Amino acid sequence: MKRRQLLKGVAGAALAAPFLSSLQRTAKAQAASTPRRLVVFYTNNGCLTNRWFPKVENGPIDASALTGTTLAGLAPYASKLLFPRGLAMFPKGMINGYFDPHDQGMGSKLTGAPIDPAGSHYATSRSLDHVAAELVNPGTKTPLVLSVGNAFANVKGIISYSAANTPYTAEANPANVFKTLTGAFVTGTPTTTTTTTDYRISQGNSIIDMVKGDLDAFKRQNMSMSDKKKVDDWLALLRQTEVKVVSAACNATNATALGITDATVKAAGARTAGTAFTLGGDMMINLIALTMMCDANRMIILQWPGFVTFNFDGMTHEYDHHGLSHRNGTVAVGGTCAPGVIDNIAQIDNWYAGRFAKLVGLVDSIKEGDRTMLDNSAVMWLSELADGNAHNNNNLPIVIAGSAGGYLKQGVSVNLDTKTLGTGNSEASCATGTAVSFNTGSNTGNVPLNKLHVTLLNAIGSAKPGWAPVTTFGTMDTSDVAKGITNPGELTALKA
């Protein structure tokens, strides 16, 4: 970008626009074009649903609605949260003669399609992240899929599919993520191919400030008070639309401010479970924020593996998370409840809630225009199952932070069903004696999850010029393969 070109383009527009209503409309369109993003925070093995949901099933929520729940740490962001209640993943149950709730929970959750009953049981359609990335990413048309600790090839550890029966490998090494972002940084001194203006802009300097002398000279000309006010008002509007250049700049300084350096990234790459989930998980969260600041990808998944023993951050569990979700400490069904199993699961749920709150808080702390990056995004916590013991996939625990640029409601819980949902009764599984009980899931809430995916695609895509609204997602929204999509459209009750 040459200085003369910048003056003619940015400064010239800034000076002329107060007198040209068409340019004012253009400025509003530019503000609306701020990137909209979808981030999915994905966990395994369900949760204690009776502790997880907010106290309000349908209606406005505030911090008090989260007090005493798993999500109490999200109380500061209550006004920016949306709880879509009553959703169910389809297909579920027997599909082509095969049933495994974990395989279906992973393979169908983001695809809205059945899994292949033969072979590796992979999903038979591509997943939401690939559809979204293709629609809204400015460069690469693939999503950024991250896995904490390890990436798995088994169906029970795969959430992303680029096509039918084609799993998409998640990136588990923070160093590789950081390496792709440093190419967007401009460091050192300007070169013959990088002008001083280019360098200063890349480092977060304001475009208006760079032409301040020329603007001041213009304002010193003999003009009426009315015209001076028009110029000042226009500069204020232009300043709002370019704040993201200053506060969400993609540079090494901001990376360091997020705690991202070569040394910290290397330390976070250790493969021991405790380090991978603590340093590694936090680093992945920081890298998500930096990816958003660099606009390197507008579709991101952060996946947490499910077969992990929580022996870190004050937890000293004997059994891995999957075994605890079965209540007996193993992969078997039934048997005897493991000692302290409900407390152990509650600790895990609370730990994940803390990580999600960190992600939400970090993204919300970064200014982008007159909003924050969270306001321009939808950050969703989605789980493989509802109650991990009942292995059910209805009445799903889902929370979305951010409105995706004003498309989604905030500060509310929305019952999308026609009846009272309840929360399930997860703790009853080991409340009476030592035998594991499986009647802990909810039988309510059967609105197709496909419709939420349609809504999210429209939320992040609607600002795109020439956008044609999405009406369907996936291949089926019941457990009858032959029926296909029976309930098209988005969830209008979730729209602002």
Side-chain angles (χ1 to χ4, degrees), residues 107-180:
S108 299
K109 188 60 59 66
L110 287 183
T111 64
I115 58 174
D116 190 336
S120 299
H121 302 156
Y122 289 151
T124 57
S125 185
R126 64 175 179 165
S127 51
L128 174 70
D129 51 314
H130 287 271
V131 177
E134 184 178 285
L135 290 172
V136 301
N137 266 357
T140 176
K141 295 305 179 182
T142 55
L144 176 61
V145 182
L146 306 174
S147 181
V148 174
N150 295 289
F152 295 90
N154 184 283
V155 63
K156 290 178 170 59
I158 297 170
I159 189 63
S160 177
Y161 289 83
S162 58
N165 288 288
T166 310
Y168 188 75
T169 303
E171 178 56 70
N173 189 344
N176 291 337
V177 182
F178 187 42
K179 184 178 180 180
T180 64

Side-chain angles (χ1 to χ4, degrees), residues 1-7 184-207 210 245 249-251:
M1 181 187 298
K2 303 299 183 184
R3 178 175 173 82
R4 182 172 297 175
Q5 292 173 327
L6 184 145
L7 287 172
F185 296 168
V186 177
T187 57
T189 56
T191 66
T192 55
T193 58
T194 302
T195 68
T196 302
T197 298
D198 293 332
Y199 177 72
R200 291 173 64 191
I201 291 174
S202 71
Q203 294 300 302
N205 286 270
S206 166
I207 294 173
M210 282 184 239
V245 179
C250 174
N251 56 53

Side-chain angles (χ1 to χ4, degrees), residues 432-450:
T432 56
T434 59
V436 177
S437 168
F438 287 94
N439 298 318
T440 59
S442 171
N443 292 320
T444 60
N446 285 288
V447 177
L449 182 64
N450 308 58

